[in-house]
Amino acid sequence: MTGRVRLFRMPKQVAAQSRLFRLIFLLITGILVAAALYTSSLIAMRQDALHAVSRYNATWLLSQGGVELARLEAAVAGYAVPGSNIDRDEVQLWLDIVEGRLELLSSGEAHEFILSAPDLTAVYDQFRTTVTRAQKLVDRLDEPGVVPQLLELLMPLNPKFGRLASLAQAHNSEMLFADLSELTRLHWIFSGVLIGLILCSLVLILLLSWHNRLLARAHAEVNELVTDLQRTGSELAEANRRAHQAMDEVQLQNQILQTRDNELHTQNARFDAALNNMSQALCMVDGNQRMIVCNVRFLELFGLSAGVAQPGTQASDVYRAMGAIGHYPTALIEGIRTQQQHLVFAHTPGRFLQEVQDGPAISVSHQPMVGGGWVATYEDVTERRHAEARIQFMAHHDALTSLPNRLLFNERMTAMLKDQRRPDERLAVLCIDLDYFKTVNDSLGHTVGDALLEAVAERLRACVRPGDVVARLGGDEFAVLQSAPEQPLQAELLAQRVVDALRQPYDLGGQRAIVSASIGIAISGERGASPDLLLRNADMALYRAKADGRSTYRFFAAEMDAQMQARRAMELDLREALSRDELEVHYQPIFGLEENRVHGFEALLRWQHPELGMIPPGQFIPLAEELGLIVPIGEWVLRQACKDAVQWPAGVKVAVNLSPVQFRSDQLLQMVERALRDSGLPADRLELEITETALLQDNEGVLATLHRLRALGLRTALDDFGTGYSSLSYLRSFPFDKLKIDQSFVREMATRPDCLVIVNSVADLARQLGIVTTAEGVETAEQLAQIRAAGCAEAQGYYFDGPQPVNAIQRWFGQRAETIFAA
């Protein structure tokens, strides 16, 4: 009875335990599935957090904007420096870069950051307004005073922009800290879920072990009770064991498949992100030349729709669609297809550039794959190629005339010297300098001067043969290379053509200008054939042409080298002459014709060279102007003249010449005031003589300067009146106290009636205007009588006395003119 009860009780107990096992098993399985799904969600959340950490770029945009703004200010400042190689185009280029940065700040995260605070928005609005105003100033950059305005406009942005970048850095740091905190939280949650999965797996293993032990015990008891069912029970137990093993294997395979599916999903997401965020277009084709994949940039680059380039499409069909759409010229697409086919057949990698002349350009990188397939990237480099070509052209050509510059000229000269194919062929170098260009540039303005240089370049191109080289070396200096037999005859013919062509009048936008050209010529084979030597020899010949009257040409001769060496030695000595006390001030009397007494003395500069002796001013004054020494030397002359004149009797004046460079200096007024104050000379005893060259432009500025000088109490005189660009409007516009009639008219009064008429007319006109006239260059008694008759108030010249040192003019004080002349 007990055995029978046990027989029936055991199956029921086993059945109940089996139901409990299934319930627990399903519960743990559900937990595992839920944990797997939650793990996938955590992985996606982690990816989002990582993406958030890497998204901040506002700081970089704002810091780069500050750097580009500083570079724009540096370009504007460099443009204002005389002799700088920074031109208006470069200033415009930096302004365009700053405008581009402004457009980047108007969208995306940077714009959201700027809109987050009213003060940041105000800085951004000020930046935009400043860039707009700066463009208007850059358009007028060549006008006086615009560069300081532009710098004053841009400089306040630097500290504000720096503060904006600093705030962006702080803002990004806060957001980065929050994202990193989120990553940390996800890490710990992810770790907890993994630990939970491990524990659940252990519980499941223990449960299965317990269940198997339970079944084994039940089978053993049944075998003891039912002998005839032993084999059947054993088979059922074995089947049950195998079933459980199969179930375990299935669950394990499911877990493996789920893990691989998650990894594959992650890898696909990463692959798509990398593929579609490439700056280059990418296309992958299999061994049957069918599309495998392409990125979004590929579709955008060639204007294709997604359906045209979907996987499985023949690559040839994609090429035909690219040509039919017309996003790029058919010839360019066909060129890409042909070159890629060659690489496919050869199964070799390659990189090539396919471009259309003056059109688009695409860079292609082709890489073969196993099985005959290939992958390639495409990039539109049109703008880069154009920029490179432009930079290359600007590096070797003059920006104004588009002629080769000095660098390219030297390269061509070196190449032509090496490539002289005929034994009788020689290279001629012609250095061309425009005569009177500065006068045109100063009188008509720099715009007209630039137009004149462009017109000269066109005429030079018309004078030369196709194989010759015309270049602009700088300023108003041009050069020509001519390789030909029969030299120097061919060079002489070319030089004459250039002289004749350039002396013809120019019509420059309604302005008429006339210039000429001086040319120096050097021939290879005369003194070696190095480019530097040829150019130096041509330059020395050019100086000779200018010295011989301009508007002509001269060939290099050996003695010119010695003369140039002497000139360079004089340059070096002149730079030290002032510090070595080699300069002296001599004085020539200005004689009053009505009172027959000295009114004053004109201060004239002399150079007592320790080796060469007394050097005439005509030799070193132009050199001082060319070297930029005329301003310090002129100031020294003014101070010395005032210091000497204060020792003379009261009423005797001193006249000092001002060069045009001194007159245009911003420090002129302070220099005169300082000389008067330091010497103690009354201002009414100082007379400043100004040449007409200083009056050729900026009438308002000249008038203001003259009025300020007269306000000091001194007198002003217009020197060398009647020469150059003399205009009666000067007498009406500018407040001069004296006119000095040029000596060229005075010396020929006795032999040329026209000179006598001019002197009489000028003296009469000045007298009616209340202006004193001084006749220069009086050397004979006849000339003195004629200028007295003409009504001139004063006279100056060797008839009275030549320029003398200060200690030699004492004889004029206290003596009547008759006594001196009688002596």
Side-chain angles (χ1 to χ4, degrees), residues 544-563:
R544 173 58 60 86
K546 283 187 169 295
D548 289 350
R550 304 173 185 262
S551 190
T552 187
Y553 58 87
R554 290 290 182 268
F555 284 90
F556 171 75
E559 64 271 12
M560 294 181 183
D561 193 11
Q563 294 173 358

Side-chain angles (χ1 to χ4, degrees), residues 392-692:
Q392 181 71 12
F393 183 85
M394 292 176 62
H396 292 84
H397 291 80
D398 174 54
L400 178 63
T401 63
S402 297
L403 291 175
N405 59 12
R406 185 181 292 272
L407 176 63
L408 183 56
F409 180 78
N410 288 335
E411 292 177 359
R412 295 278 180 86
M413 181 163 33
T414 302
M416 292 175 74
L417 284 171
K418 294 179 180 179
D419 193 32
Q420 292 181 356
R421 301 173 183 176
R422 296 176 51 178
D424 60 341
E425 188 174 8
R426 289 197 294 172
L427 181 65
V429 180
L430 287 75
C431 281
I432 305 168
D433 191 81
L434 298 183
D435 303 324
Y436 314 113
F437 171 76
K438 186 177 185 303
T439 302
V440 174
N441 202 42
D442 291 344
S443 59
L444 301 181
H446 295 294
T447 302
V448 176
D450 289 346
L452 175 58
L453 292 174
E454 292 181 89
V456 168
E458 289 301 322
R459 293 190 184 184
L460 287 175
R461 289 190 184 102
C463 290
V464 301
R465 303 170 307 174
D468 298 337
V469 177
V470 180
R472 182 185 177 206
L473 304 184
D476 60 346
E477 185 178 356
F478 296 83
V480 176
L481 294 176
Q482 181 195 55
S483 183
E486 301 179 8
Q487 295 287 22
L489 176 60
Q490 293 298 326
E492 184 174 10
L493 294 176
L494 173 59
Q496 190 59 55
R497 288 199 304 270
V498 171
V499 170
D500 293 339
L502 298 188
R503 67 158 56 107
Q504 301 302 316
Y506 297 82
D507 185 5
L508 306 172
Q511 298 285 350
R512 181 180 173 86
I514 298 177
V515 296
S516 59
S518 297
I519 304 176
I521 309 171
I523 308 294
S524 64
E526 294 178 351
R527 289 283 306 276
S530 72
D532 292 339
L533 183 60
L534 277 176
L535 195 58
R536 185 167 66 90
N537 291 347
D539 200 44
M540 284 189 282
L542 172 63
Y543 273 102
R544 173 58 60 86
K546 283 187 169 295
D548 289 350
R550 304 173 185 262
S551 190
T552 187
Y553 58 87
R554 290 290 182 268
F555 284 90
F556 171 75
E559 64 271 12
M560 294 181 183
D561 193 11
Q563 294 173 358
M564 185 57 66
Q565 296 298 333
R567 184 179 186 275
R568 291 196 179 112
M570 183 177 290
E571 289 181 7
L572 296 176
D573 291 341
L574 184 57
R575 293 182 184 276
E576 304 295 333
L578 191 58
S579 60
R580 294 175 180 172
D581 294 328
E582 296 174 3
L583 299 181
E584 300 177 1
V585 179
H586 288 197
Y587 297 94
Q588 186 175 31
I590 302 173
F591 192 73
L593 299 181
E594 294 182 4
E595 302 89 348
N596 282 338
R597 67 177 181 84
V598 172
H599 281 182
F601 292 86
E602 181 178 1
L604 300 171
L605 182 63
R606 295 294 184 266
W607 182 11
Q608 183 65 43
H609 193 279
E611 298 176 1
L612 304 178
M614 188 66 71
I615 299 178
Q619 291 186 15
F620 71 88
I621 292 296
L623 186 60
E625 293 178 342
E626 182 179 338
L627 297 177
L629 301 174
I630 195 64
V631 172
I633 290 177
E635 182 177 2
W636 178 83
V637 171
L638 177 64
R639 295 173 65 88
Q640 187 64 38
C642 292
K643 180 180 177 181
D644 291 340
V646 77
Q647 307 296 328
W648 302 341
V652 178
K653 298 179 173 58
V654 63
V656 180
N657 290 280
L658 288 181
S659 72
V661 178
Q662 283 180 282
F663 187 75
R664 289 192 291 267
S665 172
D666 295 336
Q667 303 299 319
L668 175 62
L669 199 63
Q670 293 87 336
M671 180 182 69
V672 174
E673 290 177 334
R674 187 164 52 249
L676 292 173
R677 181 180 64 251
D678 294 346
S679 64
L681 181 71
D684 60 357
R685 293 179 57 188
L686 176 61
E687 187 175 278
L688 297 181
E689 297 185 1
I690 303 163
T691 59
E692 297 171 9

Side-chain angles (χ1 to χ4, degrees), residues 248-264:
D248 292 340
E249 292 178 358
V250 169
Q251 291 178 351
L252 181 61
Q253 290 296 328
N254 287 336
Q255 292 177 357
I256 294 173
L257 289 176
Q258 182 67 33
T259 302
R260 290 180 177 177
D261 182 66
N262 292 338
E263 292 177 352
L264 181 61

Side-chain angles (χ1 to χ4, degrees), residues 778-792:
V778 177
E779 298 180 354
T780 66
E782 183 181 5
Q783 292 173 351
L784 178 60
Q786 287 177 323
I787 64 171
R788 281 184 184 274
C792 293

Side-chain angles (χ1 to χ4, degrees), residues 121-372:
T121 305
V123 173
Y124 172 77
D125 292 338
Q126 182 183 0
F127 183 32
R128 178 179 292 276
T129 303
T130 302
V131 170
T132 302
R133 293 176 59 194
Q135 181 61 60
K136 296 179 180 180
L137 291 177
V138 169
D139 293 339
R140 300 185 296 110
L141 196 60
D142 294 334
E143 298 178 8
V146 172
V147 170
Q149 293 181 26
L150 184 55
L151 288 174
E152 184 178 359
L153 178 66
L154 293 174
M155 289 180 66
L157 287 179
N158 282 333
K160 295 183 179 180
F161 219 88
R163 177 176 174 269
L164 192 60
S166 176
L167 293 176
Q169 174 67 28
H171 175 72
N172 287 349
S173 299
E174 294 175 0
M175 296 184 70
L176 181 61
F177 178 77
D179 289 336
L180 290 176
S181 300
E182 178 65 16
L183 278 175
T184 303
R185 185 182 70 83
L186 291 176
H187 168 75
W188 288 112
I189 294 175
F190 187 75
S191 301
V193 170
L194 289 180
I195 294 173
L197 286 174
I198 294 172
L199 293 176
C200 288
S201 299
L202 293 175
V203 170
L204 182 60
I205 292 172
L206 293 174
L207 182 64
L208 291 174
S209 299
W210 170 72
H211 186 258
N212 287 337
R213 287 195 302 272
L214 180 64
L215 289 176
R217 188 172 65 252
H219 289 158
E221 290 177 356
V222 171
N223 287 334
E224 291 177 359
L225 296 173
V226 185
T227 304
D228 58 344
L229 296 179
Q230 183 177 7
R231 180 175 299 176
T232 304
S234 299
E235 293 176 352
L236 290 174
E238 181 67 19
N240 190 42
R241 186 181 64 78
R242 291 178 179 177
H244 281 291
Q245 287 180 349
M247 183 180 296
D248 292 340
E249 292 178 358
V250 169
Q251 291 178 351
L252 181 61
Q253 290 296 328
N254 287 336
Q255 292 177 357
I256 294 173
L257 289 176
Q258 182 67 33
T259 302
R260 290 180 177 177
D261 182 66
N262 292 338
E263 292 177 352
L264 181 61
H265 177 75
T266 301
Q267 293 295 333
N268 287 337
R270 292 174 178 174
F271 176 74
D272 290 340
L275 194 65
N276 292 318
N277 284 282
M278 292 175 59
S279 60
Q280 298 91 0
L282 181 140
C283 173
M284 184 181 293
V285 176
D286 63 17
N288 296 321
Q289 302 303 302
R290 294 181 180 275
M291 295 287 292
I292 297 176
V293 69
C294 67
N295 62 0
V296 175
R297 179 58 186 149
F298 181 82
L299 302 176
E300 294 175 349
L301 181 65
F302 296 106
L304 300 173
S305 62
V308 174
Q310 62 184 354
T313 306
Q314 284 287 344
S316 57
D317 294 338
V318 176
Y319 279 119
R320 278 193 294 272
M322 289 159 56
I325 288 175
H327 208 261
Y328 288 97
T330 305
L332 185 140
I333 300 298
E334 185 63 22
I336 294 175
R337 185 188 68 81
T338 302
Q339 294 211 49
Q340 283 200 265
Q341 281 184 345
H342 292 160
L343 295 174
V344 170
F345 293 150
H347 199 67
T348 56
R351 180 185 295 272
F352 62 89
L353 178 68
Q354 191 70 33
E355 61 182 333
V356 178
Q357 185 174 4
D358 298 327
I362 293 182
S363 174
V364 181
S365 177
H366 179 96
Q367 186 70 33
M369 299 190 305
V370 178

